[in-house]
Amino acid sequence: GDSVTQMEGPVTLSEEAFLTINCTYTATGYPSLFWYVQYPGEGLQLLLKATKADDKGSNKGFEATYRKETTSFHLEKGSVQVSDSAVYFCALSTKLDTGRRALTFGSGTRLQVQP
Amino acid sequence: EPEVTQTPSHQVTQMGQEVILRCVPISNHLYFYWYRQILGQKVEFLVSFYNNEISEKSEIFDDQFSVERPDGSNFTLKIRSTKLEDSAMYFCASSEGREASETQYFGPGTRLLVL
């Protein structure tokens, strides 16, 4: 079945450092790919998404490119801030037997940014 | 900005008791979902709901679980006889449509602890 693999956390960075969180996937067909973020005490919020190969999703300085050839969707940010401290989830839309979709999530990566 | 809300934020119950988790999806959304995250594990799809019936469900969603849209705004998840392994964070989500590229908007979650 479909699956998403994320790098283990926590990832600890200093403010203004460069961030990469790796995400690779296994899926049949052509899923859409998502990054969700969960700030402490809050729900999952969509950070960005890409719906086809070579698409780049971006938001709040974060970006990720849908790489079909390497089945990857790595999250990057050039300069992290303390306020970026959160758990980041990579996800893909899985096509179910009915033809409809559900999200398949990675295990989440906790990012801690220190001042 | 419209958001998905969930109540309660925390629920503690005794094994064998029934619990009802409540969600208010975004008002113009047509598709509703429940996911759960057992501590330290991935977010897992439970069930999706459309047009007042279950669209699809995962193998986790057994006869102990049921969902309902009792009125025009609420969407509930009922666990009839809770087990210790039902302890988890339960997330409700909603989306406008069911395409692969559709964003699912998540609530803040209900943390359920079964003793």
Side-chain angles (χ1 to χ4, degrees), chain A residues 12 40 47 57 65 75 83 85 90 94 99 109:
Chain A
T12 303
L47 181 60
T65 301
L75 182 68
S83 57
S85 298
C90 185
T94 297
T109 302

Side-chain angles (χ1 to χ4, degrees), chain A residues 30 42 61 71 85:
Chain A
Y30 302 98
E42 299 185 16
T71 61
S85 298

Side-chain angles (χ1 to χ4, degrees), chain A residues 3-5 30 32 34 36 38 41-44 46 49 51 89 93 96 98-103 105-107, chain B residues 31 33 35 37 41-45 48 50 55-56 89 91 98-109:
Chain A
S3 66
V4 176
T5 302
Y30 302 98
S32 291
F34 305 82
Y36 280 84
Q38 185 177 31
E42 299 185 16
L44 300 168
L46 179 69
K49 69 180 183 182
T51 60
F89 293 91
S93 62
L96 303 172
T98 56
R100 297 181 189 272
R101 300 278 176 170
L103 290 174
F105 284 87
S107 54
Chain B
Y31 293 85
Y33 312 83
Y35 292 80
Q37 185 181 29
Q41 299 186 24
K42 295 185 178 185
V43 177
E44 302 171 291
F45 168 74
S48 64
Y50 169 70
S55 295
E56 42 288 310
M89 178 74 90
F91 293 105
R98 66 175 180 89
E99 296 302 318
S101 59
E102 287 282 349
T103 297
Q104 293 183 23
Y105 294 85
F106 284 76

Side-chain angles (χ1 to χ4, degrees), chain B residues 49-63:
Chain B
F49 191 86
Y50 169 70
N51 200 27
N52 282 319
E53 61 182 22
I54 291 174
S55 295
E56 42 288 310
K57 56 186 180 180
S58 72
E59 58 191 23
I60 302 169
F61 194 88
D62 61 22
D63 291 343

